[in-house]
Amino acid sequence: MQEKKIYVPEEDPYFSRPYIDVEEWREKPVRHYFVHGGFLGTEEGGTQVKFCLYFPEKEKYEGRFFSICFASAGG
């Protein structure tokens, strides 16, 4: 049985070049691991696709995940 793939990066030139430019522990508002990055080549129209991820300390993680996405004119 062939595995069904949800996403194949090689078939998506728009999101094929991810980068991370900040990766660090932060203390406020509570201690968390912060990751910031984006995707090269997505600067069309002056808007680049970027992301921020916030991870709690391993001991405080309760098995839940919250994601909020803001739409913009760039897509």
Side-chain angles (χ1 to χ4, degrees):
M1 179 179 200
Q2 186 176 354
E3 180 183 339
K4 182 179 178 182
K5 293 185 179 182
I6 295 172
Y7 178 72
V8 181
E10 298 81 14
E11 295 174 5
D12 185 356
Y14 193 71
F15 292 110
S16 65
R17 297 171 47 208
Y19 69 88
I20 292 176
D21 56 0
V22 179
E23 194 173 356
E24 63 192 13
W25 280 102
R26 293 191 174 178
E27 302 300 322
K28 294 183 180 181
V30 296
R31 185 166 165 78
H32 65 282
Y33 196 70
F34 175 76
V35 179
H36 178 273
F39 296 90
L40 297 173
T42 59
E43 300 86 0
E44 257 183 61
T47 302
Q48 183 181 15
V49 176
K50 295 183 180 182
F51 58 83
C52 292
L53 304 170
Y54 307 86
F55 298 99
E57 296 180 76
K58 184 177 182 178
E59 300 79 27
K60 295 187 178 182
Y61 179 63
E62 297 178 353
R64 298 175 290 182
F65 180 77
F66 174 77
S67 177
I68 186 166
C69 297
F70 295 98
S72 68

